[in-house]
Amino acid sequence: MDQLYSFASMKLQNLATSDHASVVSMNLFVALLCACIVIGHLLEESRWMNESITALVIGVTTGVVILLISGGKSSHLLVFSEDLFFIYLLPPIIFNAGFQVKKKQFFRNFITIILFGAVGTLISWAIISFGAIQFFKKWDIGSLDIGDYLAIGTIFAATDSVCTLQVLNQDETPLLYSLVFGEGVVNDATSVVLFNAIQSFDLTHLNTSTAFHFLGNFFYLFLTSTLLGAFTGLLSAYIIKKLYFGRHSTDREVALMILMAYLSYMLAELFYLSGILTVFFCGIVMSHYTWHNVTESSRVTTKHAFATLSFVAEIFIFLYVGMDALDIEKWRFVSDSPGTSVAVSSVLMALIMVGRAAFVFPLSFLSNLAKKSQAEKISIKQQVVIWWSGLMRGAVSMALAYNQFTRSGHTQLRANAIMITSTITVVLFSTVVFGLMTKPLIRILLPQPKHTTSATASDPSSPKSLTISLLGSAQDSFNFSASDIPRPSSIRALLTTPTHTVHYYWRKFDNAFMRPMFGGRGFVPFVPGSPTERSIRE
């Protein structure tokens, strides 16, 4: 009995020590997050720095300090986990991107965005995979099979839209922002879908049937993921419109929107679909319908709640990556041949640049052929900015690399360790170097006139400017009548201006069927005395 008691006491003591260590780690991590926010605010006006680079630098610095304190045994407070990244950190970032996007710009450039995000990613993937096969097979880096090489293509074809969007301004460069932003979301989804497809197929026996099956599965995932996101968004709009929770509690409205958004992502993961595409289109649908069905206080709350969650998740990711970059276990495998690791990283960086150039300039040329208006065409300077701003690699690349080349965050094979350390090197180099130079490059190639200031900035105290600043970025999308667009008179109009023509018929359908059923601007439930009803009557 005494032995059992002592054994139980020892176990409880070990558990308590482990719990205390976790609490200490989380305290330090939260303190670092606060430091990132404060330092990021102080560097707000810097022409070089942004929050992503700040968090990355702080993470690396913290990793060095922990490495020195631990005597070279560990460099991180938390172990990088792709499950943590994909399940908890990525959904709020992608959802807020869909919720805040200027949908008018996004859908006006939808064809170009799909060309860049889907076709461009496939071109980049093919070039990186082929280049990796040609170079790495000649070097002694360990055993990699065809699946590993194809996975390398998807890992490094995934751009880092988070860091890029922090240096682009939605109001100053709307065309650039919508293209880079839209491409980033579709690129992330394409990379993840492609990665999952590669893992699920037997690549040792490739033939025509397998290729067609692969493509069919790819497009099936794209379509079903998009439809699931739209369905979840419409369901939330219908529930909130019919039940109108705001008459009793705005908290329920906000909670339901947040939970339904997260549910869309988890349903996609449950059915092996693309959670990124699902939650992105759920955000678009929610901002168009659901958001207009809630009270004014819920609108302000949800807008800022989604933006805050996304902001904290972004900082968390870069801090996380910065600290994990110095994980001594992974670097120990390549310590005997640092030249090989540097060569692999250099080749990957070169392939990324070539792969991106191979689709940005040709696809921009094709896109310009289909546009008659000079203002809508992508100039060569804008193409250079699009190419440059998409060279950064970030957390999606890290998560996919960990998924492919580690087991529970640990690496035991030399080839796998080289690929992990090379991924870390490429992420750090591209984020810091290309991220630092993106702002100056935009200022040189696309200088903004100094007198361009928005009405909101000139008079921030006016109620109208407050409303615009709160609602404009997410809700300006489709809130104008179908009569604002000239009616297409023939099939020729559909061929010459497909986006305008589709938008015209979509507006007619939306006003006639969708908004009366699911709500939206001008179709809110009647509840006497509610803030929404008072504003509508006014």
Side-chain angles (χ1 to χ4, degrees):
M1 189 69 181
D2 291 338
Q3 288 180 341
L4 183 63
Y5 177 76
S6 61
F7 177 76
S9 300
M10 185 176 65
K11 283 290 183 183
L12 287 172
Q13 188 176 3
N14 290 338
L15 185 63
T17 305
S18 175
D19 288 344
H20 181 70
S22 300
V23 170
V24 171
S25 297
M26 287 308 299
N27 270 283
L28 287 172
F29 211 91
V30 172
L32 289 172
L33 285 173
C34 294
C36 289
I37 293 170
V38 172
I39 295 172
H41 170 73
L42 295 175
L43 296 173
E44 182 71 29
E45 301 302 322
S46 170
R47 59 177 296 182
W48 301 98
M49 297 295 285
N50 59 59
E51 241 114 17
S52 300
I53 298 173
T54 304
L56 204 58
V57 171
I58 291 175
V60 172
T61 306
T62 306
V64 171
V65 173
I66 296 173
L67 203 61
L68 293 173
I69 294 173
S70 65
K73 294 180 180 178
S74 176
S75 67
H76 43 65
L77 301 171
L78 303 169
V79 178
F80 189 92
S81 165
E82 62 269 19
D83 290 336
L84 173 67
F85 171 73
F86 279 112
I87 295 176
Y88 300 108
L89 299 178
L90 193 59
I93 296 173
I94 302 299
F95 175 80
N96 185 63
F99 193 75
Q100 302 285 356
V101 67
K102 288 187 175 181
K103 293 184 285 295
K104 181 180 174 183
Q105 276 286 345
F106 179 81
F107 286 104
R108 178 181 290 170
N109 301 299
F110 188 71
I111 296 173
T112 308
I113 287 169
I114 292 298
L115 274 176
F116 282 178
V119 179
T121 302
L122 291 174
I123 293 172
S124 182
W125 163 68
I127 289 174
I128 294 171
S129 298
F130 180 76
I133 292 172
Q134 294 301 309
F135 283 98
F136 297 164
K137 278 191 173 181
K138 297 176 183 177
W139 299 339
D140 180 28
I141 65 171
S143 58
L144 294 173
D145 57 27
I146 184 66
D148 290 325
Y149 287 117
L150 294 179
I152 288 169
T154 61
I155 289 166
F156 293 100
T159 62
D160 178 28
S161 55
V162 173
C163 188
T164 304
L165 295 179
Q166 289 189 355
V167 296
L168 288 175
N169 190 294
Q170 191 164 198
D171 297 316
E172 290 179 359
T173 53
L175 175 63
L176 265 184
Y177 187 94
S178 65
L179 288 176
V180 174
F181 160 78
E183 184 217 335
V185 174
V186 178
N187 169 279
D188 287 346
T190 304
S191 300
V192 174
V193 169
L194 196 58
F195 183 82
N196 291 336
I198 288 169
Q199 287 194 321
S200 61
F201 276 86
D202 180 15
L203 300 170
T204 54
H205 303 91
L206 288 174
N207 51 47
T208 309
S209 174
T210 307
F212 278 112
H213 189 197
F214 181 86
L215 285 173
N217 186 53
F218 182 80
F219 288 114
Y220 163 77
L221 287 173
F222 248 86
L223 182 63
T224 49
S225 300
T226 302
L227 291 176
L228 177 60
F231 171 77
T232 313
L234 290 174
L235 181 62
S236 70
Y238 186 79
I239 292 172
I240 289 179
K241 181 176 182 290
K242 287 298 180 184
L243 300 181
Y244 199 77
F245 295 93
R247 77 183 76 182
H248 298 304
S249 168
T250 58
D251 296 340
R252 289 173 184 160
E253 288 182 324
V254 177
L256 189 65
M257 284 186 71
I258 293 173
L259 291 173
M260 288 289 282
Y262 191 65
L263 179 64
S264 71
Y265 185 87
M266 296 312 297
L267 282 173
E269 294 298 312
L270 178 66
F271 295 117
Y272 302 101
L273 303 176
S274 170
I276 295 174
L277 268 182
T278 299
V279 79
F280 175 69
F281 280 98
C282 180
I284 289 179
V285 172
M286 275 195 174
S287 71
H288 189 52
Y289 297 109
T290 315
W291 191 83
H292 291 283
N293 295 340
V294 300
T295 59
E296 276 86 347
S297 58
S298 293
R299 292 180 194 179
V300 175
T301 303
T302 50
K303 179 179 173 63
H304 290 289
F306 293 141
T308 303
L309 288 171
S310 172
F311 175 74
V312 172
E314 289 171 11
I315 301 295
F316 191 99
I317 286 170
F318 283 100
L319 192 61
Y320 207 33
V321 170
M323 276 192 286
D324 197 68
L326 296 174
D327 185 10
I328 203 69
E329 176 196 295
K330 303 175 186 67
W331 291 101
R332 189 177 290 123
F333 282 93
V334 298
S335 60
D336 60 331
S337 54
T340 303
S341 183
V342 171
V344 169
S345 303
S346 302
V347 166
L348 288 171
M349 200 67 247
L351 289 173
I352 288 169
M353 299 177 79
V354 172
R356 185 156 183 83
F359 78 82
V360 167
F361 298 105
L363 294 182
S364 296
F365 176 76
L366 291 176
S367 176
N368 288 340
L369 289 178
K371 295 176 180 177
K372 289 194 172 183
S373 171
Q374 193 64 34
E376 291 183 350
K377 291 186 177 182
I378 309 169
S379 68
I380 188 64
K381 289 183 178 180
Q382 289 175 325
Q383 291 175 36
V384 171
V385 172
I386 292 170
W387 169 74
W388 182 270
S389 59
L391 292 175
M392 284 175 272
R393 296 296 176 264
V396 173
S397 295
M398 288 284 290
L400 294 180
Y402 272 73
N403 189 296
Q404 179 71 21
F405 296 111
T406 68
R407 298 290 178 269
S408 302
H410 297 287
T411 308
Q412 298 299 331
L413 298 175
R414 183 172 180 273
N416 290 359
I418 287 176
M419 292 317 305
I420 290 291
T421 53
S422 299
T423 305
I424 292 170
T425 304
V426 168
V427 168
L428 290 176
F429 179 85
S430 62
T431 302
V432 175
V433 176
F434 296 140
L436 285 174
M437 296 176 67
T438 302
K439 269 187 182 179
L441 184 70
I442 292 172
R443 290 183 181 181
I444 293 169
L445 294 178
L446 306 169
Q448 293 297 316
K450 293 184 178 180
H451 63 273
T452 306
T453 53
S454 64
T456 57
S458 59
D459 186 15
S461 61
S462 67
K464 185 175 181 180
S465 69
L466 177 64
T467 306
I468 292 172
S469 66
L470 286 176
L471 315 184
S473 63
Q475 271 56 47
D476 67 339
S477 55
F478 293 153
N479 297 331
F480 47 89
S481 66
S483 61
D484 293 338
I485 304 171
R487 181 175 180 176
S489 56
S490 63
I491 297 178
R492 184 181 177 186
L494 178 62
L495 296 175
T496 55
T497 56
T499 52
H500 292 88
T501 309
V502 170
H503 185 257
Y504 170 81
Y505 287 112
W506 160 252
R507 291 303 305 131
K508 290 188 69 174
F509 175 74
D510 193 31
N511 287 330
F513 300 102
M514 299 296 286
R515 288 189 179 189
M517 179 178 292
F518 297 105
R521 187 167 184 173
F523 292 91
V524 293
F526 179 80
V527 178
S530 73
T532 305
E533 288 308 310
R534 284 200 297 272
S535 68
I536 294 298
R537 286 200 300 274
E538 290 170 3

